Each structure stands twice: as C-alpha cells, then as structure tokens.
Amino acid sequence: MELLQQARNLYEKGEMHDALEVAQVACERKPKDAEAWWLLACISRYTGMPAASEAAFKRAAELSPKRPAPARVTSTSFRAMVDEGLADLSPDARRRLGRTRIEVAPLPGLDLVRAGVSPDAPTSRRRQPEDVLTLFQVNLENRAGSEARLARLIAKTLARA
C-alpha cells in the first residue's frame, strides 16, 4: 500500500501517532507531493504540534495552489463569523436550524473519529437527544486560505446544514 494512503487510513481510524510517523516518511520520500504535506499538516495539528503543522501547510501551499495556507483566527473571531453567518441565513435555512444548538469545537474528538466522523470533517450533527450542529474551527480554517473565504465558508456551511 502506498505510504500516503496508509497514513490516510490510520488518520481516518484515529490512530494519530502511527499516522504521523507514516506521513513523515511519505513526505521524506516524496518531498514535492503537496497532498503528503497537507496530510502531515492535518495530522500534526491533530496531535498537538501546531508549529510543525503550520510549516507543513506552508510547504503544501508552496507546492500546489489547490492547497492554500489555512486562515487562522481567534476563537472569538470565529464565533463572530458564525454569528454573522447565522444572521444572514435565508428564511428556509433559518427555519431548518431554528431548534438547533450551534457549537464550535477545534477538531472532532477521537471518540467521534473512531465512531466514523472524518478527522477533517467541517461539521458534525447530532440530532438526539437534542439537535446540535458542531462546527470544527481548525478544519474550516484549513480549507479557507483567507479570513474572507473563511467567513464565506462558514456561511455556506450553515446554509447547507
């Protein structure tokens, strides 16, 4: 099995430290593979190594325009973007989310990952015992590339929930 796929499989199963080791080897063997660097960045962030994560995201962005560097914002700024997105919802979207509690978390917990939620998921929705939509700040930031794009991504994510 290709190293990148092996790292991805371990990551998706929540075996973060093993995934990290395999992703590091994948980047060493294919130093110009943007996808390998992006995966290493995601895994590094997940395993509590933000500096290594940002360096790997930067390398992925240098190698491919498809992988822009993340747009990091404070939790307060992120929550303000969520509130703005909620305020701008269409009447239909507002009705769909009317009884939904909106939460923000940095990343899906390992319990969610092991239960089948992707560690890269932008959101998770639990409908019982109450309806809760959780937006994962880091994963949305990873996709954004700029604060303006992050705000648009949050609004779009809420509108589709």
Side-chain angles (χ1 to χ4, degrees):
M1 177 185 302
E2 180 192 357
L3 284 173
L4 188 58
Q5 186 59 47
Q6 183 181 355
R8 166 71 57 199
N9 289 346
L10 290 165
Y11 179 54
E12 292 285 336
K13 289 194 280 184
E15 297 175 22
M16 299 303 172
H17 293 287
D18 291 338
L20 180 64
E21 289 178 13
V22 175
Q24 288 169 329
V25 172
C27 289
E28 289 170 9
R29 291 199 183 157
K30 292 188 176 183
K32 293 188 180 191
D33 186 337
E35 294 306 308
W37 285 101
W38 194 82
L39 180 59
L40 177 61
C42 290
I43 297 168
S44 296
R45 174 67 61 167
Y46 210 98
T47 56
M49 301 184 325
S53 173
E54 291 309 310
F57 274 125
K58 181 179 177 190
R59 183 70 178 131
E62 291 168 355
L63 292 169
S64 174
K66 293 180 182 179
R67 293 293 183 191
R72 301 285 179 227
V73 297
T74 65
S75 58
T76 302
S77 294
F78 188 86
R79 187 65 213 199
M81 289 179 189
V82 170
D83 292 342
E84 288 172 23
L86 288 168
D88 292 340
L89 286 175
S90 70
D92 183 52
R94 188 170 289 124
R95 180 186 50 74
R96 283 194 319 270
L97 288 176
R99 295 185 179 179
T100 304
R101 184 165 42 105
I102 308 296
E103 294 182 345
V104 173
L107 290 163
L110 277 178
D111 57 330
L112 286 175
V113 172
R114 290 182 178 138
V117 173
S118 171
D120 294 326
T123 65
S124 176
R125 189 142 186 195
R126 184 185 75 230
R127 297 187 188 266
Q128 296 294 327
E130 66 177 313
D131 193 2
V132 178
L133 174 66
T134 304
L135 284 80
F136 298 116
Q137 180 174 341
V138 170
N139 290 342
L140 288 162
E141 290 171 340
N142 289 350
R143 292 170 168 77
S146 72
E147 283 190 40
R149 286 189 199 138
L150 178 59
R152 287 193 302 272
L153 181 57
I154 291 167
K156 186 172 150 181
T157 299
L158 290 168
R160 291 182 175 175

